[in-house]
Every structure is written in C-alpha cells, then in structure tokens.
Amino acid sequence: MNMHPSKSKSELSRDEAQEALEKLRAWAKDASPTEIAELEPAIARLLPGQEVANYPELSRDYPEDFTVDAAYRETLPDLQNGPTSLIKGAKKQIQHVGISNFRLPISYRTREGGDVTLETSVTGTVSLEEDKKGINMSRIMRSFYKHAEKTFSFEVLEHALKDYKSDLGSFDARIQMRLRYPMKIPSLRSGLEGYQYYDIAMEKVDVNGKPLKIMHLDYVYSSTCPCSLELSEHARQSRGQLATPHSQRSVARISVVTKPIQKLWFEDLIDMARRAVPTETQVMVKREDEQAFAELNAANPIFVEDAARLFCAELQQDERIGDFRVIASHQESLHSHDAVSILTEGETFESGSIDPKLFTTLFHVG
C-alpha cells in the first residue's frame, strides 16, 4: 500500500498560505463572535481593521470618563454562558454550583421581640443542566442582596431562592446562611452573666419542587465518662485513694427540618439541647460556679451514645420538628482518639457515607 502523507506546514507555499488566510478572513467577517470564539478567539485579530502586532500599543491610562451603555454591554464576551460546544469534560448535570462564604450583615429577630445584626456567611448554589456551560456567579449575590436589608426569616430566604432559580434558569437551588448567635447566659451560682456564642446555620433547599427548611446548631458541652466516675468512686471507697473521673469538651451538631408555617426560634433549639444535656460549657465562672459545674457533671455522666439518644428524645417531643440528625463528638481526655456517634430520624439525613473531614469540623475553641 502506498502512503501519501498530506503536506506539512513547511511544504505549503506562501501563496497557498495567503489563499487560506483570505478564506479565513472571509468566513470570520460574517461569523458571530461566539462562532469565532468556538474555533479560535485569535481569529478576531485577522478581521479588517483589527490587524495588530503581537504586542499592540494600548492605552495605559485608566479611562475614568468611560461609561458603559446597553449596546457596549452586549458586545462583552460571556464564555461562562457559552454554547454546549464549549463544555469541557463530561456533559453531565452538576448538582451544586455557586459561591461560598460571601459575607454581609443580616438583621435577625430574637424570640423576645428585639433585633440583632450579625455578620453572616452565605453559600448559594443551583443545579446546572448537562447542556449548559456554566452560570453567572455574580447573579447569586445580586439576587441575595435584593433581600439582604430585610429582617431575616425563612420567608425572606424563600423569596431569594425563587430569584436564584429565575435569574439562573435552574430547577434546583439551595441557600445556606451561617452565623454565631449570642445569648446572655447566667452562671450556675454566682449570679454573673456572660455571652455564649452558638454556631448556627440555616438552609433553604428546593429540589425537584420540594422545599425544605433546615436549621443546624453546634452545641458545646462537657461530658463526664460514667465508667471513669464509677472507677474513681471505687478507688475512694475501697482504698481511700483520691481519684478524679475524666471529662472532656464535647460537641453535638443538631440538624432539624422545620415543618411549614410553624416557627422555630434559634433560642428554642438551644433550649432543647440544654434540657437534653444540661452540662453546657460555662462563660463567667467564680469558684462557686466551678464547684457547681463539677456537681452538675457528676449528676449527668454520659457516654457519646447517651448524648445522641438524649438529644433525640428531646427533639422527638417537639411537633415543629420533622426529620433530624444528631452528630456527637466527645473529644477524649483519656484516649488519644475521640468517641463519636450519628443518629438520624427520617429520610432527609440518611446517608451510607461519612464525609472524611466531618468530625474534624466539630472542634470548637472559641
């Protein structure tokens, strides 16, 4: 078989190259900017009036008097919203795409009727269909800012979510807001008060037209090991040996789906956690408070399994709460590892997989 390789670049004559260039210019003259970008963006420089050197002389002065009108805006390239042909990789749906941790002050209503303004971290995502290149990320922020001046409620979040879906042409959307909520907490015996800060997150999720309202709370408490307590008492009683049980700072991440219409305040969920496990870490402490805390821990020794079930029992009693999940981490002072548990009720939080970094996010140092 005789092989006849095609001409290489070096075998093309100058006239042939010139002919090819003229054909390319003729095509580009009538092609749209998108068609040119799909083939090769540099082709635009071959058009009549656009011939430039590799290093064109460009103005280095910022044009302070330049204004953008609608006609100019239409000429701006937008590759993120380009055609399907520009998609890189697999043409698959992306379940979540958006922005994370843009921050702004949000006003929240307290259970007592006042308002408090807190720095809030917002994450907003939408689904991206398989035939779409991407989304305009800034639209997520613009949609949220339309509602940012209103005192927060899940209804406000719902309106922002609808704007997301409308502006970005998406079927599914999610907004998550994270904040640290302050509550003034009295000491156990001294009468002092101090502010406890609670990590709280709220989610509004709309998947397949099914809306969900979810609230998350990180509750920090002390856990005294029941086994260690009994062994310490055994040493005291049987041998007159002073011994102390071990206890440790512990964290429960409580996530609940709130039922439609019914109002669940931040303070309500915090109160439930405190009723379930009353050994919350303290803010202002004098000697009588420290002694009281030791007595409180001795009266409420718990394993990590106990903690998960105690929180569960409290959540089950509130008719405003639907599905929920409790993640507990007892960050051991005896062992070099932690004791952990996860308890779920309902389908919302069911998962056969655990995020490899899940429990490392439960460390609270201030």
Side-chain angles (χ1 to χ4, degrees), residues 89-241:
K91 291 181 173 62
K92 293 281 290 182
Q93 180 187 22
I94 299 177
Q95 285 73 34
H96 300 283
V97 59
I99 58 176
S100 175
N101 196 34
F102 79 86
R103 293 176 292 173
L104 70 169
I106 297 289
S107 180
Y108 298 89
R109 182 65 48 83
T110 67
R111 187 172 57 183
E112 287 72 27
D115 287 335
V116 58
T117 300
L118 302 171
E119 180 184 286
T120 302
S121 168
V122 179
T123 294
T125 64
V126 295
S127 61
L128 182 65
E129 301 308 306
E130 61 184 25
D131 61 343
K132 293 183 179 180
K133 164 68 174 172
I135 67 169
N136 280 330
M137 299 287 182
S138 63
R139 287 187 182 178
I140 293 180
M141 291 184 65
R142 295 201 302 270
S143 295
F144 194 86
Y145 263 89
K146 291 179 185 177
H147 306 278
E149 299 300 322
K150 302 174 184 176
T151 299
F152 170 81
S153 70
F154 270 112
E155 289 71 27
V156 172
L157 210 54
E158 183 174 356
H159 292 317
L161 202 67
K162 287 180 178 178
D163 284 352
Y164 275 22
K165 295 174 67 177
S166 174
D167 291 348
L168 297 168
S170 177
F171 292 106
D172 303 332
R174 178 190 304 261
I175 300 177
Q176 183 186 89
M177 300 169 60
R178 293 185 295 112
L179 61 132
R180 304 198 75 197
Y181 189 73
M183 283 183 66
K184 188 172 283 188
I185 304 299
S187 298
L188 292 173
R189 286 181 180 155
S190 66
L192 297 175
E193 288 185 323
Y195 278 102
Q196 190 81 274
Y197 280 81
Y198 298 92
D199 284 2
I200 289 176
M202 292 150 295
E203 286 185 279
K204 180 69 178 180
V205 182
D206 193 335
V207 178
N208 297 323
K210 298 179 179 179
L212 282 179
K213 297 187 297 184
I214 303 173
M215 187 183 299
H216 307 269
L217 164 70
D218 280 11
Y219 177 71
V220 186
Y221 59 99
S222 175
S223 58
T224 293
C225 173
C227 184
S228 179
L229 179 60
E230 292 300 316
L231 291 172
S232 296
E233 288 304 303
H234 181 273
R236 292 169 183 261
Q237 294 174 11
S238 64
R239 296 184 290 116
Q241 176 63 47

Side-chain angles (χ1 to χ4, degrees), residues 298-347:
N300 295 275
I302 49 171
F303 294 116
V304 73
E305 302 93 330
D306 300 323
R309 286 170 171 154
L310 286 165
F311 289 121
C312 173
E314 190 67 37
L315 296 172
Q316 285 178 326
Q317 296 179 38
D318 198 299
E319 62 181 11
R320 296 169 294 179
I321 292 175
D323 293 354
F324 61 80
R325 178 184 62 202
V326 177
I327 303 171
S329 174
H330 289 192
Q331 293 150 20
E332 292 278 343
S333 61
L334 169 64
H335 303 289
S336 57
H337 55 262
D338 299 332
V340 297
S341 65
I342 300 177
L343 184 155
T344 67
E345 180 158 308
E347 298 179 356

Side-chain angles (χ1 to χ4, degrees), residues 29-89:
K29 184 178 179 181
D30 297 322
S32 69
T34 299
E35 290 173 320
I36 293 174
E38 288 181 13
L39 183 61
E40 171 53 61
I43 293 174
R45 296 167 61 184
L46 303 177
L47 295 176
Q50 299 294 323
E51 298 90 345
V52 291
N54 286 336
Y55 295 94
E57 291 187 13
L58 302 175
S59 172
R60 294 177 179 271
D61 296 325
Y62 176 71
E64 294 186 7
D65 57 347
F66 178 74
T67 58
V68 175
D69 57 21
Y72 180 83
R73 191 176 290 111
E74 286 297 319
T75 68
L76 295 174
D78 188 5
L79 294 182
Q80 189 68 352
N81 287 286
T84 303
S85 58
L86 294 182
I87 293 176
K88 295 183 179 181

